[in-house]
Amino acid sequence: LDGAQAFGETTELTSMRLSSFINVGGLSLTSNSIQSTDTNADIRLVPNGSGDVDLFTDTVVVGDGGNCVVTSYGSNSITLNTAGGGSSGFIRITAGANGNISITPNGTGSVVIDGLNYPQADGSNGQVLTTNGSGTLSFSTITSGVSNDDATALAIALG
């Protein structure tokens, strides 16, 4: 650095290769990797203010071959959404003991779990969830042929 740079002026550096690796305060930066040089140390990416950490890639891989855990910081919920969150459905895992997991599709989209297409609205009191045999579930009213005793026995058997 020349004298002007030492007093706060900046110079744009374009395509300057310093080394094949850099070690800075417990971090090693090599070709395409940032690693901690301290045993069992965390690496944190912390934006300024309300800034975000953006990952511009098609796939984000988490884990090192063992069980993978994704955890929110503090007592915050985790929300997965698409389209920048503006007009998308979402999956939210609510923080705290006994918190809900909400799956909310956008517009007329459906929740499909293991090939079963769930109804988009709740049924009426006394209705049951039925299938058409082709993966679509709907609410139906119990018709003749099933007595209240049969329905109670079925409910007990299915838990």
Side-chain angles (χ1 to χ4, degrees):
L1 298 176
D2 64 24
Q5 291 168 326
F7 288 102
E9 292 183 27
T10 60
T11 300
E12 183 177 331
L13 298 176
T14 60
S15 123
M16 180 176 140
R17 183 180 172 124
L18 297 174
S19 174
S20 60
F21 69 92
I22 299 173
N23 286 319
V24 178
L27 289 177
S28 171
L29 292 90
T30 59
S31 59
N32 63 350
S33 176
I34 300 173
Q35 299 176 343
S36 173
T37 58
D38 297 333
T39 304
N40 299 323
D42 295 335
I43 296 175
R44 292 184 179 198
L45 302 176
V46 182
N48 191 6
S50 62
D52 295 326
V53 174
D54 297 324
L55 303 174
F56 289 95
T57 184
D58 293 332
T59 303
V60 175
V61 178
V62 179
D64 60 1
N67 290 329
C68 175
V69 176
V70 176
T71 304
S72 67
Y73 187 77
S75 61
N76 298 303
S77 300
I78 294 177
T79 301
L80 304 174
N81 62 21
T82 59
S87 62
S88 74
F90 63 87
I91 298 173
R92 177 172 295 129
I93 302 171
T94 305
N98 305 314
N100 294 330
I101 297 176
S102 301
I103 302 174
T104 305
N106 182 30
T108 59
S110 294
V111 173
V112 179
I113 300 174
D114 200 22
L116 297 175
N117 189 343
Y118 284 76
Q120 295 175 345
D122 193 6
S124 299
N125 185 24
Q127 287 189 313
V128 295
L129 199 56
T130 61
T131 180
N132 67 356
S134 296
T136 299
L137 302 175
S138 61
F139 289 99
S140 301
T141 301
I142 297 175
T143 60
S144 63
V146 178
S147 70
N148 285 340
D149 290 337
D150 291 339
T152 302
L154 182 60
I156 291 170
L158 294 178

